[in-house]
């Protein structure tokens, strides 16, 4: 099927010309080239390479741009743009009331003109420099905020901060695509999150309570085509990718709570969201080399374990038992959000199951299904559900320890042990076990920590 | 492809100028041709992270006894007209769900509804902030509280109202701009 000309142009623009040059890369090219250059005389002496080849290798590395310098330039470009932008906002916020209105407006709107001028130059000359693009994006983002603020300040326009944030972010959005700026995308995600928090958490109104920031979802989605074309499509996993994925995951985690109607179903929404994160981390597209750079996995796993530990207390189950939750299930904000997130998790589970066997998937990805079963059990028999949550936590902990041992990863192994410690610590407060028994449990886990770590280190030494 | 980037860039620039431009145009048209009203007020001293220091104003003329038995709802869009009381301060005269055919009126929302159809209806006055130079905001607050202790002093906001929009142009204490009052306070040694 032939795409319409405009759509096709847009797609090609995003797909091809859009592929960025990975300036910030995790490859330690400089260190490697230095090492090679150091080895050259030895290689010539040992007759591995000829003198001429050695000279050609040396010339090759000398002619290459130094990535460390590039990286520094990008960092300084970003910092410069951010600091200058924020500095001007603060200076204008001083509100120089000696200045006439027109001059105040002129000064407030000038940075926007300057930012657009630089952006225009970058676009017209097709400048590829990451430092320029990122720095200009960061500066322009704050220049936009300033342009709206100065008019508000001069004409004493009523302050609805949520609306201001929304206008600011929607005007910032095109900068991401025009400049292909990851920093602007990060600022956009932070701004959209701020908007949702402002509307959902901070603007409590006594007549209508908290409002639901419905526009948050669509606004966040508008940044996804950039992430797809910038990182996923070309398969680039650089520092910008890590930062953006962390921000996106944290934003969703923080803002899901704003879709709160009554109470209890929010937990279901969160369990499904965390499971969805883990399922996403199972997809090849989102795989990273280190655990900590995979925001989906870290937040998903910590979220599930944290939620389960909360659920191991009595109060949640008493709450759903007392409130005859089944009656409240229909027609609530939370119901639709929890339903939507759960459906997405189920769909993702099917997607992952097409490439992996059920046993090969991280066990915690199934947490949302377990929780749904426990939820309906808890409505009738809260005590049994609470007891089973403890069991589920224990199973996940053992699974994590085994996973750590299998992957020879001390971090994962200790995480599993920490989950058990967390569970025991939680039970420390709400059980009638004797002090001696609780003490023995702690000693047991402590010994477990030592034993597991020593075992792992020994295993590594043997393997080496 | 470059053409597409340029089109997107032009769209971006236009959008980024339209928003502040529209705000300036709307406010400027009220400032030049709106009717002046004086709203009695009480300021305090908060701060806005982007626009700097301001004083928040809460006005007395923010409710009206509604005519008829229209069931007013919270957040409903309404049109309010004003007149002057015997002391020269603004007083709401009518509230309706449709804009008046002529004259100055304020387009706003219902902020408070009491039970009972004849109870007063509260409405938002969307000019609750007056921005001041950083160093003057807390001084302005002091000046206001001085005015409160002294019953002969009166604080009010000068508001221009046009066809729907309103712009707060100054805050006065005893017919002197609060900015002038603060400047005079700074000149006088304590």
């Amino acid at each position: 099927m032939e795409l319409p000309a405009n759509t096709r142009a847009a797609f090609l623009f995003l797909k091809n010309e859009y592929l960025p040059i990975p300036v910030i890369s995790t490859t330690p090219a400089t260190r490697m080239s230095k090492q090679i250059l150091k080895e050259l005389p030895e290689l010539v002496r040992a007759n591995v390479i000829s003198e001429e080849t050695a000279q050609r290798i040396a010339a090759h590395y000398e002619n290459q741009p130094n990535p460390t310098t590039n990286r520094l330039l990008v960092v300084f470009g970003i910092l410069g743009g951010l600091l200058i932008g924020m500095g001007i906002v603060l200076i204008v916020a001083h509100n120089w009331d000696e200045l006439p209105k027109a001059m105040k407006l002129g000064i407030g709107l000038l940075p926007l003109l300057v930012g657009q001028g630089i952006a225009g130059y970058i676009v017209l000359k097709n400048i590829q420099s990451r430092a320029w693009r990122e720095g200009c994006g960061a500066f322009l983002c704050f220049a936009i905020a300033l342009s709206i603020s100065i008019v508000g300040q001069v004409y004493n326009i009523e302050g609805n901060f949520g609306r201001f944030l929304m206008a600011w972010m929607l005007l910032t959005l095109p900068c991401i695509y025009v400049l292909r700026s990851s920093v602007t995308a990060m600022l956009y995600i932070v701004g959209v999150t701020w908007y949702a928090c402002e509307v959902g958490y901070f603007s409590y109104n006594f007549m209508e309570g908290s409002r639901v920031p419905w526009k948050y979802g669509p606004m966040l989605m508008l940044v996804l085509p950039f992430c797809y074309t910038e990182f996923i499509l070309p398969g680039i996993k650089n520092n910008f990718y890590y930062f953006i994925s962390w921000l996106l995951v944290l934003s969703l985690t923080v803002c899901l709570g704003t879709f709160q109607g009554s109470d209890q179903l929010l937990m279901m929404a969160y369990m499904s969201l965390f499971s969805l994160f883990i399922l996403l981390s199972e997809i090849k597209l989102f795989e990273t080399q280190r655990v900590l750079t995979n925001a989906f996995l870290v937040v998903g796993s910590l979220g599930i374990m944290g939620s389960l530990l909360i659920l191991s207390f009595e109060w949640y189950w008493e709450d759903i038992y007392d409130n005859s939750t089944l009656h409240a299930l229909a027609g609530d904000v939370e119901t639709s959000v929890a339903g939507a997130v759960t459906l997405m998790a189920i769909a993702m589970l099917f997607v992952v199951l097409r490439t992996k066997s059920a046993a090969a998937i991280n066990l915690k990805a199934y947490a949302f299904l377990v929780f749904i079963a426990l939820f309906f059990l808890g409505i009738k028999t809260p005590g049994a559900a609470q007891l089973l949550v403890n069991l589920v936590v224990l199973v996940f902990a053992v699974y994590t320890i085994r996973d750590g041992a299998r992957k020879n990863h001390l971090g994962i192994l200790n995480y599993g042990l920490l989950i058990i410690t967390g569970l025991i610590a939680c039970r420390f407060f709400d059980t009638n076990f004797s002090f001696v028994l609780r003490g023995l449990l702690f000693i047991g886990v402590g010994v477990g920590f030592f034993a597991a770590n020593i075992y792992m280190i020994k295993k590594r030494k043997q393997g080496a | 492809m470059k053409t597409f980037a340029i089109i997107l860039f032009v769209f971006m620039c236009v959008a980024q100028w339209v928003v502040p431009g529209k705000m300036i145009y709307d406010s400027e048209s009220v400032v030049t041709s709106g009717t002046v009203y004086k709203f009695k007020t009480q300021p305090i001293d908060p701060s806005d992270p982007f626009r700097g220091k301001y004083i928040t104003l809460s006005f007395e003329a923010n409710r009206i006894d509604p005519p008829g038995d229209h069931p007013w709802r919270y957040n409903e869009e309404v049109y309010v007209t004003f007149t002057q009381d015997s002391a020269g301060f603004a007083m709401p005269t009518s509230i309706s769900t449709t804009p008046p055919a002529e004259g100055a009126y304020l387009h706003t929302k219902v902020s408070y509804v009491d039970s009972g159809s004849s109870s007063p209806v509260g409405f938002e006055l969307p000019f609750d902030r007056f921005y001041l130079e950083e160093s003057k905001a807390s001084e302005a607050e002091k000046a206001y509280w001085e005015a409160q202790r002294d019953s002969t002093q009166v604080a009010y906001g000068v508001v221009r109202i046009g066809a729907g929009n309103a712009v707060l142009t100054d805050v006065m204490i005893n017919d002197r701009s609060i900015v002038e009052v603060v400047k005079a306070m700074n000149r006088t040694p304590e």
Side-chain angles (χ1 to χ4, degrees):
Chain A
M1 192 184 73
E2 188 70 13
L3 288 168
N6 286 347
T7 321
R8 200 157 160 269
F11 179 74
L12 289 175
F13 167 74
L14 287 169
K15 190 171 175 288
N16 294 332
E17 214 181 58
Y18 222 62
L19 300 184
I21 300 157
V23 176
I24 290 194
S25 152
T26 47
T27 324
T30 324
R31 242 185 310 155
M32 226 164 74
S33 60
K34 267 186 191 163
Q35 217 164 350
I36 292 169
L37 288 172
K38 227 193 276 176
E39 294 284 324
L40 285 179
E42 181 57 39
L43 293 170
V44 175
R45 251 199 310 276
N47 268 336
V48 178
I49 53 170
S50 67
E51 179 76 39
E52 190 198 351
T53 317
Q55 274 171 4
R56 274 169 54 201
I57 291 173
H60 169 76
Y61 282 117
E62 268 163 25
N63 290 337
Q64 271 198 343
N66 187 344
T68 313
T69 319
N70 268 346
R71 211 166 4 212
L72 273 178
L73 265 180
V74 174
V75 171
F76 288 135
I78 293 166
L79 278 179
L82 279 176
L83 291 174
I84 295 171
M86 289 196 286
I88 296 174
V89 168
L90 287 175
I91 290 168
V92 172
H94 174 79
N95 196 350
W96 306 84
D97 60 10
E98 301 294 333
L99 298 178
K101 191 163 67 181
M103 193 179 275
K104 265 199 218 177
L105 284 172
I107 291 171
L109 293 170
L110 186 68
L112 182 65
L113 200 65
V114 173
Q116 287 178 344
I118 300 171
Y121 185 76
I122 290 171
V123 172
L124 288 174
K125 295 280 174 192
N126 202 13
I127 293 173
Q128 291 298 325
S129 159
R130 190 59 116 162
W132 273 101
R133 287 175 181 272
E134 301 295 355
C136 176
F139 176 77
L140 198 52
C141 177
F142 284 97
I144 295 163
L146 187 60
S147 72
I148 309 172
S149 299
I150 190 70
V151 183
Q153 189 192 73
V154 167
Y155 293 103
N156 299 301
I157 293 171
E158 186 202 19
N160 180 333
F161 198 53
R163 213 160 49 195
F164 163 74
L165 284 170
M166 193 176 82
W168 177 20
M169 285 307 118
L170 287 177
L171 291 178
T172 301
L173 182 73
C175 305
I176 302 172
Y177 290 91
V178 168
L179 293 167
R180 288 170 15 208
S181 161
S182 300
V183 168
T184 319
M186 286 185 227
L187 290 170
Y188 178 80
I189 297 168
V190 172
V192 169
T193 310
W194 193 357
Y195 158 76
C197 292
E198 176 66 29
V199 174
Y201 294 131
F202 310 146
S203 311
Y204 186 84
N205 185 308
F206 76 100
M207 287 292 280
E208 55 179 347
S210 296
R211 282 181 296 139
V212 176
W214 289 111
K215 294 183 188 106
Y216 164 75
M219 279 171 76
L220 195 68
M221 267 192 249
L222 288 172
V223 80
L224 296 184
F226 171 78
C227 301
Y228 180 72
T229 50
E230 185 82 0
F231 306 112
I232 308 294
L233 196 63
I236 292 173
K237 300 276 166 64
N238 56 18
N239 289 342
F240 285 125
Y241 169 79
Y242 302 142
F243 279 126
I244 288 187
S245 60
W246 266 100
L247 284 174
L248 271 174
V249 166
L250 288 177
S251 172
L252 285 167
T253 308
V254 168
C255 296
L256 188 66
T258 58
F259 295 87
Q260 190 172 12
S262 53
D263 239 339
Q264 294 78 18
L265 275 177
L266 196 64
M267 188 55 94
M268 191 183 287
Y270 267 111
M271 285 303 264
S272 299
L273 181 76
F274 293 138
S275 297
L276 182 66
F277 285 162
I278 295 206
L279 286 164
L280 283 170
S281 75
E282 293 282 316
I283 295 177
K284 203 152 183 60
L285 282 177
F286 299 109
E287 268 177 11
T288 55
Q289 286 181 341
R290 291 175 56 220
V291 174
L292 275 180
T293 51
N294 197 330
F296 294 104
L297 180 63
V298 176
V299 175
S301 182
L302 286 175
I304 282 172
M305 293 327 301
S307 308
L308 284 174
L309 286 177
I310 291 171
L311 289 170
S312 71
F313 286 97
E314 200 175 11
W315 56 265
Y316 178 81
W317 302 105
E318 272 184 353
D319 235 23
I320 63 166
Y321 183 62
D322 291 346
N323 287 350
S324 53
T325 309
L326 276 179
H327 294 289
L329 281 181
D332 203 346
V333 176
E334 252 173 61
T335 317
S336 36
V337 172
V341 183
T342 307
L343 281 178
M344 277 194 267
I346 291 171
M348 191 50 68
L349 183 61
F350 279 111
V351 171
V352 176
L353 279 173
R354 282 170 63 181
T355 52
K356 281 184 176 176
S357 70
I361 299 173
N362 188 333
L363 192 66
K364 294 189 196 84
Y366 300 106
F368 75 109
L369 295 173
V370 175
F371 175 74
I372 291 169
L374 288 175
F375 181 80
F376 286 103
L377 178 71
I379 290 171
K380 294 288 170 210
T381 47
Q386 193 201 344
L387 198 72
L388 283 172
V389 167
N390 286 279
L391 196 68
V392 172
V393 175
L394 207 62
V395 169
F396 281 157
V398 173
Y399 170 82
T400 313
I401 294 169
R402 203 198 64 157
D403 194 36
R406 205 164 45 86
K407 288 181 182 160
N408 196 10
H409 195 298
L410 272 178
I412 298 176
L413 180 108
N414 284 312
Y415 172 47
L417 287 163
L418 267 176
I419 297 171
I420 295 188
T421 315
L423 186 64
I424 295 174
C426 288
R427 294 295 71 77
F428 195 86
F429 297 108
D430 70 344
T431 53
N432 295 322
F433 292 152
S434 74
F435 286 108
V436 177
L437 187 63
R438 283 189 264 181
L440 285 174
L441 274 173
F442 270 96
I443 293 169
V445 177
V447 170
F449 263 105
F450 273 118
N453 282 292
I454 289 169
Y455 164 75
M456 189 77 99
I457 291 164
K458 267 191 179 169
K459 204 171 113 184
R460 278 186 185 178
K461 274 184 185 164
Q462 278 168 5
Chain B
M1 292 318 112
K2 194 175 161 188
T3 322
F4 193 80
I6 293 169
I7 293 169
L8 198 60
F9 169 72
V10 172
F11 165 77
M12 176 188 93
C13 291
V14 171
Q16 286 169 356
W17 281 101
V18 160
V19 172
K22 171 90 167 54
M23 285 164 76
I24 294 174
Y25 175 79
D26 287 348
S27 304
E28 227 11 87
S29 57
V30 174
V31 169
T32 48
S33 58
T35 313
V36 182
Y37 291 95
K38 294 192 274 186
F39 284 76
K40 263 195 172 175
T41 171
Q42 306 172 337
I44 50 166
D45 168 34
S47 172
D48 179 299
F50 289 91
R51 285 167 286 191
K53 289 271 185 183
Y54 62 88
I55 48 178
T56 296
L57 310 162
S58 77
F59 300 100
E60 291 175 10
N62 63 354
R63 53 177 55 212
I64 185 171
D65 289 324
D69 52 0
H70 176 80
W72 300 96
R73 285 174 292 108
Y74 172 73
N75 237 356
E76 185 177 4
E77 289 196 17
V78 287
Y79 300 87
V80 183
T81 58
F82 295 89
T83 185
Q84 288 182 357
D85 65 9
S86 53
F89 292 111
M91 189 176 73
T93 47
S94 74
I95 183 167
S96 68
T97 51
T98 49
E102 57 181 19
Y105 62 89
L106 183 68
H107 181 197
T108 182
K109 282 179 180 173
V110 172
S111 64
Y112 179 74
V113 192
D114 211 347
S115 53
S117 59
S118 59
S119 312
V121 173
F123 51 86
E124 288 173 15
L125 288 173
F127 36 80
D128 61 352
R129 287 183 173 194
F130 186 68
Y131 289 91
L132 283 155
E133 194 174 294
E134 194 177 11
S135 56
K136 288 177 186 149
S138 56
E139 292 287 332
E141 192 195 3
K142 266 189 225 158
Y144 168 74
W145 287 112
E146 287 288 324
Q148 286 295 296
R149 273 202 293 277
D150 183 351
S151 58
T152 57
Q153 296 195 46
V154 184
Y156 61 87
V158 181
V159 180
R160 278 184 181 268
I161 300 180
N165 293 330
V167 175
L168 174 68
T169 53
D170 210 345
V171 173
M172 314 289 275
I173 293 177
N174 274 1
D175 296 331
R176 274 178 75 201
S177 167
I178 198 159
V179 179
E180 294 303 320
V181 173
V182 173
K183 272 186 195 165
M185 278 169 75
N186 287 342
R187 275 196 298 270
T188 318
E190 287 190 16

